[in-house]
Amino acid sequence: MFAYRNSVRVAVLVSAIAVSTATASQLRAQGGPQAHRPTAAAAATALPSLEPARSILRHLVGRWRVEVRFAGNFDGAPDASGTRVVQTVFDDLGLQWTENVDSSQVRSQGTIGFDARTGRFYSTAVYSGGSGAELLTGTLDRAEPLVTFSPAAPAAPAPGAGSFTLRMVDPDHFLWAPADRTWRALLTRQP
């Protein structure tokens, strides 16, 4: 009698598997759920939307008045000032900039952009008075127009290299400042 019950259970289990396989085949044939690998388009939608990055980069294009103030100088004359010009490189996800300081021969240039493959911002800079290139990667805060940058190679940062923030105040102003808040640069759009 126990052998009969075991064989009935096995028969029921085999029937259930056969029915579920046949039903799944019919559903796939009728456009139902299918087992497949995600397509490149599905993988691309998993990354953050490009629009917030495009919006920030689009607002950076133009000619800017730069005013740098060191910690404690909240309302006095800027400690340094200059002009920055930001232009697109190839498309709206990559920009190049040049900067001149008014009171010295210091010049700088760099890039800032967004890598759609990784979903991260990047920034490079070279200063005529500096010792090397600054390479940063950044993440966007979805709650506000704020990008936090960190050194691309944190194991061996250059002297003085660290994390920075880029904060869009409004379409005509943005702040660039190190995380340690020893100084801040306010950039104001020029006509």
Side-chain angles (χ1 to χ4, degrees):
M1 178 141 175
F2 291 111
Y4 174 74
R5 284 187 191 168
N6 285 339
S7 61
V8 169
R9 287 183 185 157
V10 170
V12 169
L13 180 62
V14 169
S15 297
I17 292 172
V19 168
S20 67
T21 303
T23 305
S25 297
Q26 289 174 353
L27 287 174
R28 277 194 298 272
Q30 296 171 3
Q34 299 178 11
H36 64 308
R37 292 185 181 146
T39 63
T45 58
L47 287 175
S49 169
L50 294 178
E51 278 314 303
R54 276 195 174 107
S55 177
I56 287 176
L57 294 172
R58 182 175 44 249
H59 282 94
L60 295 179
V61 174
R63 184 176 182 86
W64 299 88
R65 181 70 185 155
V66 181
E67 294 183 345
V68 178
R69 288 184 170 81
F70 293 103
N73 181 4
F74 299 115
D75 58 359
D79 295 303
S81 60
T83 303
R84 179 178 287 195
V85 177
V86 182
Q87 303 170 329
T88 58
V89 179
F90 301 112
D91 61 18
D92 60 349
L93 293 178
L95 308 176
Q96 64 184 1
W97 57 268
T98 57
E99 187 173 285
N100 298 316
V101 176
D102 293 338
S103 60
S104 76
Q105 297 298 319
V106 174
R107 305 285 182 255
S108 55
Q109 63 185 36
T111 62
I112 186 169
F114 184 77
D115 185 345
R117 293 176 298 122
T118 63
R120 295 181 62 85
F121 282 85
Y122 61 87
S123 174
T124 66
V126 179
Y127 302 93
S128 64
S131 61
E134 177 181 85
L135 307 170
L136 306 169
T137 61
T139 55
L140 175 66
D141 182 338
R142 303 291 235 153
E144 58 183 303
L146 171 74
V147 181
T148 303
F149 288 94
S150 299
S163 298
F164 294 86
T165 58
L166 181 149
R167 179 183 307 273
M168 296 300 302
V169 177
D170 59 40
D172 295 325
H173 299 89
F174 74 92
L175 291 167
W176 178 259
D180 66 5
R181 298 187 249 172
T182 54
W183 58 269
R184 68 194 176 289
L186 172 65
L187 289 90
T188 304
R189 187 178 303 280
Q190 292 183 316

